[in-house]
Structures are given as structure tokens and as C-alpha cells.
PDB file of all heavy atoms in Angstrom:
ATOM      1  N   SER A 120      -4.646  65.903   7.299  1.00 41.00           N
ATOM      2  CA  SER A 120      -3.524  65.177   7.819  1.00 41.00           C
ATOM      3  C   SER A 120      -3.882  64.142   8.853  1.00 41.00           C
ATOM      4  O   SER A 120      -4.631  64.382   9.741  1.00 41.00           O
ATOM      5  CB  SER A 120      -2.460  66.144   8.426  1.00 41.00           C
ATOM      6  OG  SER A 120      -1.524  65.470   9.144  1.00 41.00           O
ATOM      7  N   PRO A 121      -3.356  62.871   8.751  1.00 42.00           N
ATOM      8  CA  PRO A 121      -3.616  61.882   9.783  1.00 42.00           C
ATOM      9  C   PRO A 121      -3.172  62.390  11.132  1.00 42.00           C
ATOM     10  O   PRO A 121      -3.768  61.983  12.174  1.00 42.00           O
ATOM     11  CB  PRO A 121      -2.710  60.684   9.298  1.00 42.00           C
ATOM     12  CG  PRO A 121      -2.560  60.881   7.879  1.00 42.00           C
ATOM     13  CD  PRO A 121      -2.524  62.322   7.628  1.00 42.00           C
ATOM     14  N   LEU A 122      -2.098  63.162  11.236  1.00 37.00           N
ATOM     15  CA  LEU A 122      -1.641  63.692  12.510  1.00 37.00           C
ATOM     16  C   LEU A 122      -2.688  64.610  13.141  1.00 37.00           C
ATOM     17  O   LEU A 122      -2.958  64.588  14.334  1.00 37.00           O
ATOM     18  CB  LEU A 122      -0.306  64.403  12.312  1.00 37.00           C
ATOM     19  CG  LEU A 122       0.295  65.034  13.593  1.00 37.00           C
ATOM     20  CD1 LEU A 122       0.555  63.973  14.620  1.00 37.00           C
ATOM     21  CD2 LEU A 122       1.597  65.780  13.264  1.00 37.00           C
ATOM     22  N   LEU A 123      -3.269  65.471  12.277  1.00 38.00           N
ATOM     23  CA  LEU A 123      -4.306  66.372  12.726  1.00 38.00           C
ATOM     24  C   LEU A 123      -5.486  65.526  13.278  1.00 38.00           C
ATOM     25  O   LEU A 123      -6.089  65.907  14.317  1.00 38.00           O
ATOM     26  CB  LEU A 123      -4.780  67.282  11.625  1.00 38.00           C
ATOM     27  CG  LEU A 123      -5.799  68.354  11.916  1.00 38.00           C
ATOM     28  CD1 LEU A 123      -5.370  69.226  13.064  1.00 38.00           C
ATOM     29  CD2 LEU A 123      -6.147  69.169  10.712  1.00 38.00           C
ATOM     30  N   ASN A 124      -5.884  64.517  12.582  1.00 43.00           N
ATOM     31  CA  ASN A 124      -6.982  63.689  13.035  1.00 43.00           C
ATOM     32  C   ASN A 124      -6.694  63.057  14.373  1.00 43.00           C
ATOM     33  O   ASN A 124      -7.546  63.014  15.266  1.00 43.00           O
ATOM     34  CB  ASN A 124      -7.267  62.525  11.992  1.00 43.00           C
ATOM     35  CG  ASN A 124      -7.891  63.110  10.696  1.00 43.00           C
ATOM     36  OD1 ASN A 124      -8.493  64.137  10.753  1.00 43.00           O
ATOM     37  ND2 ASN A 124      -7.810  62.375   9.628  1.00 43.00           N
ATOM     38  N   ALA A 125      -5.481  62.551  14.535  1.00 38.00           N
ATOM     39  CA  ALA A 125      -5.083  61.949  15.761  1.00 38.00           C
ATOM     40  C   ALA A 125      -5.142  62.911  16.915  1.00 38.00           C
ATOM     41  O   ALA A 125      -5.540  62.685  18.030  1.00 38.00           O
ATOM     42  CB  ALA A 125      -3.680  61.225  15.627  1.00 38.00           C
ATOM     43  N   THR A 126      -4.577  64.113  16.609  1.00 34.00           N
ATOM     44  CA  THR A 126      -4.541  65.200  17.627  1.00 34.00           C
ATOM     45  C   THR A 126      -5.937  65.562  18.064  1.00 34.00           C
ATOM     46  O   THR A 126      -6.266  65.754  19.251  1.00 34.00           O
ATOM     47  CB  THR A 126      -3.788  66.450  17.093  1.00 34.00           C
ATOM     48  OG1 THR A 126      -2.488  66.054  16.703  1.00 34.00           O
ATOM     49  CG2 THR A 126      -3.670  67.470  18.156  1.00 34.00           C
ATOM     50  N   SER A 127      -6.830  65.710  17.108  1.00 36.00           N
ATOM     51  CA  SER A 127      -8.228  66.046  17.443  1.00 36.00           C
ATOM     52  C   SER A 127      -8.901  64.931  18.310  1.00 36.00           C
ATOM     53  O   SER A 127      -9.630  65.328  19.210  1.00 36.00           O
ATOM     54  CB  SER A 127      -9.015  66.212  16.106  1.00 36.00           C
ATOM     55  OG  SER A 127      -8.513  67.210  15.296  1.00 36.00           O
ATOM     56  N   LEU A 128      -8.597  63.680  17.988  1.00 33.00           N
ATOM     57  CA  LEU A 128      -9.126  62.617  18.823  1.00 33.00           C
ATOM     58  C   LEU A 128      -8.612  62.675  20.231  1.00 33.00           C
ATOM     59  O   LEU A 128      -9.359  62.512  21.195  1.00 33.00           O
ATOM     60  CB  LEU A 128      -8.770  61.271  18.176  1.00 33.00           C
ATOM     61  CG  LEU A 128      -9.229  59.995  18.914  1.00 33.00           C
ATOM     62  CD1 LEU A 128     -10.756  59.996  19.066  1.00 33.00           C
ATOM     63  CD2 LEU A 128      -8.742  58.806  18.220  1.00 33.00           C
ATOM     64  N   VAL A 129      -7.332  62.950  20.417  1.00 32.00           N
ATOM     65  CA  VAL A 129      -6.743  63.004  21.738  1.00 32.00           C
ATOM     66  C   VAL A 129      -7.380  64.162  22.498  1.00 32.00           C
ATOM     67  O   VAL A 129      -7.739  64.048  23.688  1.00 32.00           O
ATOM     68  CB  VAL A 129      -5.247  63.220  21.690  1.00 32.00           C
ATOM     69  CG1 VAL A 129      -4.681  63.556  23.043  1.00 32.00           C
ATOM     70  CG2 VAL A 129      -4.547  61.982  21.146  1.00 32.00           C
ATOM     71  N   LEU A 130      -7.562  65.342  21.842  1.00 35.00           N
ATOM     72  CA  LEU A 130      -8.185  66.420  22.532  1.00 35.00           C
ATOM     73  C   LEU A 130      -9.610  66.149  22.960  1.00 35.00           C
ATOM     74  O   LEU A 130     -10.024  66.513  24.037  1.00 35.00           O
ATOM     75  CB  LEU A 130      -8.107  67.703  21.635  1.00 35.00           C
ATOM     76  CG  LEU A 130      -6.666  68.305  21.396  1.00 35.00           C
ATOM     77  CD1 LEU A 130      -6.785  69.445  20.405  1.00 35.00           C
ATOM     78  CD2 LEU A 130      -6.146  68.870  22.720  1.00 35.00           C
ATOM     79  N   CYS A 131     -10.301  65.551  22.092  1.00 36.00           N
ATOM     80  CA  CYS A 131     -11.713  65.201  22.413  1.00 36.00           C
ATOM     81  C   CYS A 131     -11.797  64.226  23.522  1.00 36.00           C
ATOM     82  O   CYS A 131     -12.589  64.400  24.528  1.00 36.00           O
ATOM     83  CB  CYS A 131     -12.431  64.613  21.175  1.00 36.00           C
ATOM     84  SG  CYS A 131     -12.705  65.789  19.848  1.00 36.00           S
ATOM     85  N   LEU A 132     -10.900  63.239  23.579  1.00 32.00           N
ATOM     86  CA  LEU A 132     -10.902  62.248  24.679  1.00 32.00           C
ATOM     87  C   LEU A 132     -10.529  62.948  25.956  1.00 32.00           C
ATOM     88  O   LEU A 132     -11.070  62.652  27.017  1.00 32.00           O
ATOM     89  CB  LEU A 132      -9.885  61.125  24.309  1.00 32.00           C
ATOM     90  CG  LEU A 132     -10.345  60.117  23.295  1.00 32.00           C
ATOM     91  CD1 LEU A 132      -9.225  59.116  22.992  1.00 32.00           C
ATOM     92  CD2 LEU A 132     -11.591  59.376  23.720  1.00 32.00           C
ATOM     93  N   GLY A 133      -9.561  63.854  25.832  1.00 35.00           N
ATOM     94  CA  GLY A 133      -9.114  64.595  27.032  1.00 35.00           C
ATOM     95  C   GLY A 133     -10.322  65.430  27.621  1.00 35.00           C
ATOM     96  O   GLY A 133     -10.529  65.436  28.849  1.00 35.00           O
ATOM     97  N   LEU A 134     -11.136  66.086  26.748  1.00 32.00           N
ATOM     98  CA  LEU A 134     -12.244  66.828  27.259  1.00 32.00           C
ATOM     99  C   LEU A 134     -13.290  65.919  27.910  1.00 32.00           C
ATOM    100  O   LEU A 134     -13.980  66.319  28.798  1.00 32.00           O
ATOM    101  CB  LEU A 134     -12.891  67.622  26.097  1.00 32.00           C
ATOM    102  CG  LEU A 134     -12.041  68.752  25.534  1.00 32.00           C
ATOM    103  CD1 LEU A 134     -12.689  69.339  24.306  1.00 32.00           C
ATOM    104  CD2 LEU A 134     -11.843  69.842  26.620  1.00 32.00           C
ATOM    105  N   ILE A 135     -13.415  64.726  27.389  1.00 33.00           N
ATOM    106  CA  ILE A 135     -14.341  63.818  27.970  1.00 33.00           C
ATOM    107  C   ILE A 135     -13.886  63.265  29.342  1.00 33.00           C
ATOM    108  O   ILE A 135     -14.625  63.127  30.290  1.00 33.00           O
ATOM    109  CB  ILE A 135     -14.599  62.579  27.006  1.00 33.00           C
ATOM    110  CG1 ILE A 135     -15.317  63.089  25.748  1.00 33.00           C
ATOM    111  CG2 ILE A 135     -15.430  61.528  27.673  1.00 33.00           C
ATOM    112  CD1 ILE A 135     -15.405  62.065  24.626  1.00 33.00           C
ATOM    113  N   LEU A 136     -12.573  63.008  29.409  1.00 32.00           N
ATOM    114  CA  LEU A 136     -12.043  62.325  30.615  1.00 32.00           C
ATOM    115  C   LEU A 136     -11.767  63.249  31.750  1.00 32.00           C
ATOM    116  O   LEU A 136     -11.916  62.870  32.922  1.00 32.00           O
ATOM    117  CB  LEU A 136     -10.765  61.556  30.245  1.00 32.00           C
ATOM    118  CG  LEU A 136     -10.911  60.363  29.323  1.00 32.00           C
ATOM    119  CD1 LEU A 136      -9.556  59.826  29.020  1.00 32.00           C
ATOM    120  CD2 LEU A 136     -11.751  59.282  29.980  1.00 32.00           C
ATOM    121  N   ILE A 137     -11.431  64.515  31.515  1.00 30.00           N
ATOM    122  CA  ILE A 137     -11.062  65.445  32.571  1.00 30.00           C
ATOM    123  C   ILE A 137     -12.140  65.526  33.672  1.00 30.00           C
ATOM    124  O   ILE A 137     -11.726  65.445  34.819  1.00 30.00           O
ATOM    125  CB  ILE A 137     -10.687  66.821  31.995  1.00 30.00           C
ATOM    126  CG1 ILE A 137      -9.301  66.769  31.315  1.00 30.00           C
ATOM    127  CG2 ILE A 137     -10.719  67.906  33.072  1.00 30.00           C
ATOM    128  CD1 ILE A 137      -8.921  68.024  30.560  1.00 30.00           C
ATOM    129  N   PRO A 138     -13.386  65.655  33.321  1.00 32.00           N
ATOM    130  CA  PRO A 138     -14.417  65.799  34.378  1.00 32.00           C
ATOM    131  C   PRO A 138     -14.523  64.506  35.245  1.00 32.00           C
ATOM    132  O   PRO A 138     -15.039  64.587  36.349  1.00 32.00           O
ATOM    133  CB  PRO A 138     -15.687  66.068  33.661  1.00 32.00           C
ATOM    134  CG  PRO A 138     -15.247  66.601  32.335  1.00 32.00           C
ATOM    135  CD  PRO A 138     -13.965  65.876  32.030  1.00 32.00           C
ATOM    136  N   LEU A 139     -14.052  63.350  34.702  1.00 30.00           N
ATOM    137  CA  LEU A 139     -14.167  62.171  35.421  1.00 30.00           C
ATOM    138  C   LEU A 139     -13.037  61.847  36.370  1.00 30.00           C
ATOM    139  O   LEU A 139     -13.073  60.935  37.153  1.00 30.00           O
ATOM    140  CB  LEU A 139     -14.291  61.028  34.456  1.00 30.00           C
ATOM    141  CG  LEU A 139     -15.441  61.042  33.420  1.00 30.00           C
ATOM    142  CD1 LEU A 139     -15.374  59.881  32.483  1.00 30.00           C
ATOM    143  CD2 LEU A 139     -16.777  61.129  34.146  1.00 30.00           C
ATOM    144  N   MET A 140     -11.969  62.629  36.298  1.00 29.00           N
ATOM    145  CA  MET A 140     -10.772  62.364  37.007  1.00 29.00           C
ATOM    146  C   MET A 140     -10.948  63.016  38.463  1.00 29.00           C
ATOM    147  O   MET A 140     -11.475  64.071  38.614  1.00 29.00           O
ATOM    148  CB  MET A 140      -9.549  62.902  36.354  1.00 29.00           C
ATOM    149  CG  MET A 140      -9.245  62.279  35.002  1.00 29.00           C
ATOM    150  SD  MET A 140      -7.852  63.014  34.175  1.00 29.00           S
ATOM    151  CE  MET A 140      -6.534  62.428  35.190  1.00 29.00           C
ATOM    152  N   THR A 141     -10.402  62.325  39.486  1.00 31.00           N
ATOM    153  CA  THR A 141     -10.375  62.839  40.861  1.00 31.00           C
ATOM    154  C   THR A 141      -8.987  62.972  41.331  1.00 31.00           C
ATOM    155  O   THR A 141      -8.113  62.147  40.995  1.00 31.00           O
ATOM    156  CB  THR A 141     -11.172  62.012  41.861  1.00 31.00           C
ATOM    157  OG1 THR A 141     -10.647  60.686  41.774  1.00 31.00           O
ATOM    158  CG2 THR A 141     -12.688  61.964  41.428  1.00 31.00           C
ATOM    159  N   TRP A 142      -8.666  63.983  42.126  1.00 34.00           N
ATOM    160  CA  TRP A 142      -7.314  64.230  42.582  1.00 34.00           C
ATOM    161  C   TRP A 142      -7.246  64.187  44.096  1.00 34.00           C
ATOM    162  O   TRP A 142      -8.148  64.700  44.761  1.00 34.00           O
ATOM    163  CB  TRP A 142      -6.812  65.555  42.039  1.00 34.00           C
ATOM    164  CG  TRP A 142      -6.796  65.626  40.541  1.00 34.00           C
ATOM    165  CD1 TRP A 142      -7.826  66.079  39.746  1.00 34.00           C
ATOM    166  CD2 TRP A 142      -5.766  65.200  39.704  1.00 34.00           C
ATOM    167  NE1 TRP A 142      -7.500  65.950  38.430  1.00 34.00           N
ATOM    168  CE2 TRP A 142      -6.266  65.406  38.338  1.00 34.00           C
ATOM    169  CE3 TRP A 142      -4.548  64.642  39.880  1.00 34.00           C
ATOM    170  CZ2 TRP A 142      -5.458  65.096  37.267  1.00 34.00           C
ATOM    171  CZ3 TRP A 142      -3.747  64.394  38.790  1.00 34.00           C
ATOM    172  CH2 TRP A 142      -4.243  64.568  37.477  1.00 34.00           C
ATOM    173  N   ALA A 143      -6.196  63.636  44.649  1.00 42.00           N
ATOM    174  CA  ALA A 143      -5.974  63.615  46.079  1.00 42.00           C
ATOM    175  C   ALA A 143      -5.608  64.989  46.540  1.00 42.00           C
ATOM    176  O   ALA A 143      -4.874  65.699  45.872  1.00 42.00           O
ATOM    177  CB  ALA A 143      -4.959  62.606  46.456  1.00 42.00           C
ATOM    178  N   GLY A 144      -6.127  65.452  47.761  1.00 57.00           N
ATOM    179  CA  GLY A 144      -5.743  66.705  48.339  1.00 57.00           C
ATOM    180  C   GLY A 144      -4.428  66.560  49.006  1.00 57.00           C
ATOM    181  O   GLY A 144      -3.917  65.455  49.276  1.00 57.00           O
ATOM    182  N   VAL A 145      -3.818  67.792  49.330  1.00 72.00           N
ATOM    183  CA  VAL A 145      -2.528  67.737  50.016  1.00 72.00           C
ATOM    184  C   VAL A 145      -2.736  68.378  51.318  1.00 72.00           C
ATOM    185  O   VAL A 145      -3.429  69.439  51.533  1.00 72.00           O
ATOM    186  CB  VAL A 145      -1.491  68.571  49.258  1.00 72.00           C
ATOM    187  CG1 VAL A 145      -0.174  68.697  49.944  1.00 72.00           C
ATOM    188  CG2 VAL A 145      -1.288  67.921  47.846  1.00 72.00           C
ATOM    189  N   PHE A 146      -2.224  67.739  52.421  1.00 73.00           N
ATOM    190  CA  PHE A 146      -2.330  68.308  53.767  1.00 73.00           C
ATOM    191  C   PHE A 146      -1.573  69.629  53.812  1.00 73.00           C
ATOM    192  O   PHE A 146      -0.381  69.731  53.391  1.00 73.00           O
ATOM    193  CB  PHE A 146      -1.690  67.345  54.771  1.00 73.00           C
ATOM    194  CG  PHE A 146      -2.390  66.083  54.998  1.00 73.00           C
ATOM    195  CD1 PHE A 146      -1.733  64.867  54.930  1.00 73.00           C
ATOM    196  CD2 PHE A 146      -3.790  66.086  55.405  1.00 73.00           C
ATOM    197  CE1 PHE A 146      -2.389  63.677  55.174  1.00 73.00           C
ATOM    198  CE2 PHE A 146      -4.436  64.932  55.622  1.00 73.00           C
ATOM    199  CZ  PHE A 146      -3.733  63.710  55.591  1.00 73.00           C
ATOM    200  N   PRO A 147      -2.235  70.736  54.231  1.00 73.00           N
ATOM    201  CA  PRO A 147      -1.500  71.949  54.479  1.00 73.00           C
ATOM    202  C   PRO A 147      -0.487  71.747  55.661  1.00 73.00           C
ATOM    203  O   PRO A 147      -0.828  71.104  56.599  1.00 73.00           O
ATOM    204  CB  PRO A 147      -2.642  72.968  54.843  1.00 73.00           C
ATOM    205  CG  PRO A 147      -3.893  72.360  54.392  1.00 73.00           C
ATOM    206  CD  PRO A 147      -3.670  70.890  54.475  1.00 73.00           C
TER     207      PRO A 147
END
């Protein structure tokens, strides 16, 4: 299914991008 292909691509991109993302901390 084209939808399955697109979903797989999004998941793969997500796995690639997650380690590159940085998040701001919150002051306690």
C-alpha cells in the first residue's frame, strides 16, 4: 500500500531525526 510506504518513510525519518533534536530545560 502507498500509505504503508509513506508511514514507513515517516517512521524512518523520525528515527533519524530524534537523536539530532535538542530540548530546552525547565527551571524547577
Side-chain angles (χ1 to χ4, degrees):
S120 166
L122 179 60
L123 181 59
N124 289 336
T126 302
S127 300
L128 178 60
V129 169
L130 289 174
C131 290
L132 287 174
L134 292 173
I135 293 170
L136 292 175
I137 284 173
L139 302 179
M140 298 176 71
T141 58
W142 299 92
V145 176
F146 290 128

